[in-house]
C-alpha cells in the first residue's frame, strides 16, 4: 500500500510525495511505474517530449520540462510545475 500527500507551491506547482505505508524502500518496478504514470503519452506528436532526463543523482526532469521527479530510498517526490527556472 502506498500513501501520497499533495501540496501547492505558490499556487503554480503541485508537489506530490509517494511512499509505502510501511516505510520500506521502493523497488525498481515501483519506481518505474511512478515514472511511467507521469510521462507523456506515447504518440508521434509527443515523441520529443516523452522520457526523462537526469539532472543529478536523484533529480529527473520530464522531456517537456514541466515535471520534476526526486527519488529517495523510501519515497518519490513529484513536482508538476509552472515555476520559473530560477526556482530550481
Amino acid at each position: 500500500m502506498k500513501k501520497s500527500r499533495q501540496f501547492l507551491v505558490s499556487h503554480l506547482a503541485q508537489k506530490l510525495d509517494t511512499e509505502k505505508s510501511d516505510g520500506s524502500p521502493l523497488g525498481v518496478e515501483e519506481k518505474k511505474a511512478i515514472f511511467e504514470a507521469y510521462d507523456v503519452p506515447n504518440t508521434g506528436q509527443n515523441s520529443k517530449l516523452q522520457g526523462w532526463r537526469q539532472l543529478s543523482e536523484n533529480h529527473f526532469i520530464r522531456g517537456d520540462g514541466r515535471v520534476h521527479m526526486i527519488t529517495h530510498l523510501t519515497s518519490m517526490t513529484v513536482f508538476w510545475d509552472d515555476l520559473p527556472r530560477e526556482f530550481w
Side-chain angles (χ1 to χ4, degrees):
M1 171 167 294
K2 292 187 182 105
K3 58 183 177 180
S4 295
R5 293 178 301 275
Q6 178 179 1
F7 304 95
L8 292 176
V9 179
S10 301
H11 303 288
L12 298 173
Q14 291 185 16
K15 176 185 176 223
L16 300 113
D17 289 316
T18 301
E19 62 185 355
K20 289 184 176 181
S21 57
D22 65 1
S24 63
L26 293 171
V28 172
E29 290 300 316
E30 293 164 318
K31 288 182 179 181
K32 181 180 174 185
I34 294 170
F35 273 105
E36 288 175 355
Y38 288 95
D39 204 352
V40 293
N42 187 11
T43 66
Q45 169 182 0
N46 290 332
S47 63
K48 291 183 180 178
L49 303 179
Q50 191 176 27
W52 297 87
R53 183 169 50 96
Q54 192 168 1
L55 298 177
S56 68
E57 183 179 347
N58 67 340
H59 186 176
F60 299 82
I61 187 168
R62 193 171 73 182
D64 65 356
R66 295 206 41 188
V67 178
H68 292 257
M69 189 86 66
I70 311 290
T71 62
H72 310 282
L73 182 61
T74 60
S75 66
M76 290 180 77
T77 302
V78 180
F79 289 95
W80 192 284
D81 81 74
D82 286 324
L83 294 168
R85 291 284 163 235
E86 298 81 44
F87 178 83
W88 300 102

